[in-house]
Amino acid sequence: MDVVNHSVVSEFVFLGLTNFWESQLLFVFSSIFCVASMMGNSLIILTVMMNPQLHSPMYFLLANLSFLDLGVSSVISPKMIHDLFKKRKVISFSGCITQIFFIHVIAGVEMVLLIAMAFDRYIAICKPLHYFSIMSRKMCILLLVAAWIIGLIHSIVQLGFVIKLPFCGPNVLDSFYCDFPWFIKLACTDTYRLEFMVTANSGFISLGSFFILIVSYAFILITVRKHSSGSSSKALSTLSTHVMVVILFFGPCIFVYIWPHPTSHLDKFLAVFDAGLTPFLNSVIYTLRNKEMKLAMRKVCSQFIIYRRIS
């Protein structure tokens, strides 16, 4: 990515954690959850691809969500873990811009994908007879393409405003990775309007999407409660899984971009939570609360073990 900027700052320094024992604990925590997240989400994608019974719209969207979680783990966690024991934690200007770009592309795509998953559950529960005609393969691909287009636009529009900001002095980011709230505060100019634009673009969109999703799931839950069958209990389990993932995704986003009085320690905790723990929890939630997925994953694992023994 080519970055044209008239700044004198060529690199940024991450403040991270200053306490050695906190750094050690975070290193162990981040390493375990980064590896577990990558393994768990890779296994979900592989399971959906290999099992014909999971070739349905819900699992198609789930596999794509796992792919995005792999992206989150790849963009943020390796650099964060690598820097934990370095005295000087630096990232180049272009590296910082690239990290912001991919973070917001992935976040934008995931936001739309979660809305698509809510739409999928609405059709499956409220209009079951029309489910496969509405949620066709063409519709699933269309939703996915729309998610990526919106994610790219969301990221590029914000970067277009900040990429030419003058950075002439301070270069310390009080975080583990680059993102707009910390990045634009270092600019040598009045950034009030720009901060408001970022809050509106990322914060209010996150809040609005979260509200729409919660209302949508509440409406679906009311519909499910009217039925008292075995399938309704399965639907409730699936919906509760989706709601948990929505809260895990939107909670840190809303706090970071909208909360008017940010605190350093809480921001850092949310940064670690969002980068390391959320992608792992997504994979755990979707597997532990889904019998079909658990059975399919066991089959894939057993096939892999048999293949290893033969080879």
Side-chain angles (χ1 to χ4, degrees), residues 41-56 59-60 63 292-293 295-308:
N41 285 298
S42 298
L43 184 57
I44 288 173
I45 295 168
L46 189 65
T47 302
V48 173
M49 289 175 63
M50 290 182 64
N51 196 314
Q53 292 180 337
L54 301 182
H55 290 176
S56 66
Y59 291 108
F60 171 80
E292 289 180 356
M293 180 59 74
L295 288 171
M297 289 176 94
R298 283 173 191 163
K299 286 181 182 178
V300 170
C301 291
S302 61
Q303 287 173 359
F304 179 73
I305 291 167
I306 291 168
Y307 174 78
R308 286 294 300 269

Side-chain angles (χ1 to χ4, degrees), residues 32 36 51 110 151 178 197 239:
I32 290 170
N51 196 314
E110 190 161 341
C178 292
M197 185 276 296
L239 286 175

Side-chain angles (χ1 to χ4, degrees), residues 14 16-17 26 79-80 83-84 174-178 268 271-272:
F14 294 128
L17 293 174
L26 184 60
K79 170 68 177 170
M80 184 174 71
D83 284 345
L84 280 173
D174 192 12
S175 182
F176 299 99
Y177 60 87
C178 292
K268 287 177 183 179
V272 174

Side-chain angles (χ1 to χ4, degrees), residues 8-79:
V8 296
V9 173
S10 60
E11 64 181 20
F12 294 98
V13 179
F14 294 128
L15 193 59
L17 293 174
T18 53
N19 185 284
F20 176 75
W21 293 110
E22 285 181 352
S23 296
Q24 274 200 325
L25 185 63
L26 184 60
F27 174 79
V28 174
F29 170 87
S30 301
S31 300
I32 290 170
F33 284 109
C34 179
V35 173
S37 170
M38 288 187 168
M39 289 178 66
N41 285 298
S42 298
L43 184 57
I44 288 173
I45 295 168
L46 189 65
T47 302
V48 173
M49 289 175 63
M50 290 182 64
N51 196 314
Q53 292 180 337
L54 301 182
H55 290 176
S56 66
M58 186 180 81
Y59 291 108
F60 171 80
L61 296 172
L62 173 58
N64 280 280
L65 182 67
S66 292
F67 176 76
L68 291 172
D69 284 334
L70 275 176
V72 172
S73 299
S74 303
V75 170
I76 299 173
S77 296
K79 170 68 177 170

Side-chain angles (χ1 to χ4, degrees), residues 13-282:
V13 179
F14 294 128
L15 193 59
L17 293 174
T18 53
N19 185 284
F20 176 75
W21 293 110
E22 285 181 352
S23 296
Q24 274 200 325
L25 185 63
L26 184 60
F27 174 79
V28 174
F29 170 87
S30 301
S31 300
I32 290 170
F33 284 109
C34 179
V35 173
S37 170
M38 288 187 168
M39 289 178 66
N41 285 298
S42 298
L43 184 57
I44 288 173
I45 295 168
L46 189 65
T47 302
V48 173
M49 289 175 63
M50 290 182 64
N51 196 314
Q53 292 180 337
L54 301 182
H55 290 176
S56 66
M58 186 180 81
Y59 291 108
F60 171 80
L61 296 172
L62 173 58
N64 280 280
L65 182 67
S66 292
F67 176 76
L68 291 172
D69 284 334
L70 275 176
V72 172
S73 299
S74 303
V75 170
I76 299 173
S77 296
K79 170 68 177 170
M80 184 174 71
I81 294 167
H82 178 260
D83 284 345
L84 280 173
F85 288 108
K86 291 176 69 176
K87 287 184 178 179
R88 185 173 167 80
K89 307 168 180 65
V90 298
I91 187 170
S92 65
F93 187 90
S94 59
C96 190
I97 292 292
T98 303
Q99 196 174 55
I100 292 172
F101 172 77
F102 282 111
I103 286 170
H104 282 266
V105 168
I106 292 168
V109 176
E110 190 161 341
M111 200 178 296
V112 179
L113 201 60
L114 288 171
I115 293 171
M117 292 173 82
F119 176 71
D120 170 75
R121 290 301 85 204
Y122 167 76
I123 300 298
I125 293 166
C126 300
K127 298 185 178 181
L129 297 177
H130 303 283
Y131 179 67
F132 287 105
S133 60
I134 295 173
M135 292 302 296
S136 61
R137 184 177 180 82
K138 184 179 178 181
M139 175 60 79
C140 290
I141 293 171
L142 193 65
L143 288 170
L144 185 62
V145 171
W148 278 99
I149 291 171
I150 291 169
L152 284 165
I153 292 171
H154 164 74
S155 185
I156 291 168
V157 165
Q158 291 192 104
L159 275 178
F161 283 101
V162 305
I163 202 168
K164 291 185 179 180
L165 283 174
F167 294 90
C168 51
N171 69 334
V172 177
L173 292 165
D174 192 12
S175 182
F176 299 99
Y177 60 87
C178 292
D179 201 2
F180 287 121
W182 309 296
F183 181 77
I184 59 179
K185 285 179 181 176
L186 299 180
C188 303
T189 185
D190 181 19
T191 58
Y192 175 78
R193 288 183 180 179
L194 200 55
E195 286 180 44
F196 178 79
M197 185 276 296
V198 168
T199 300
N201 196 316
S202 293
F204 292 142
I205 288 174
S206 297
L207 187 62
S209 301
F210 178 71
F211 179 75
I212 291 168
L213 283 167
I214 293 300
V215 170
S216 301
Y217 281 121
F219 177 77
I220 298 169
L221 281 168
I222 291 168
T223 305
V224 171
R225 292 283 294 231
K226 292 178 182 178
H227 303 83
S228 57
S229 61
S231 59
S232 67
S233 61
K234 181 183 176 183
L236 280 170
S237 177
T238 305
L239 286 175
S240 61
T241 299
H242 283 251
V243 171
M244 277 191 272
V245 171
V246 165
I247 293 169
L248 281 172
F249 174 77
F250 283 101
C253 288
I254 291 168
F255 190 91
V256 167
Y257 290 103
I258 291 183
W259 189 251
H261 306 292
T263 56
S264 177
H265 280 84
L266 187 56
D267 278 352
K268 287 177 183 179
F269 169 77
L270 289 172
V272 174
F273 183 87
D274 209 24
L277 196 56
T278 300
F280 167 73
L281 287 176
N282 285 353

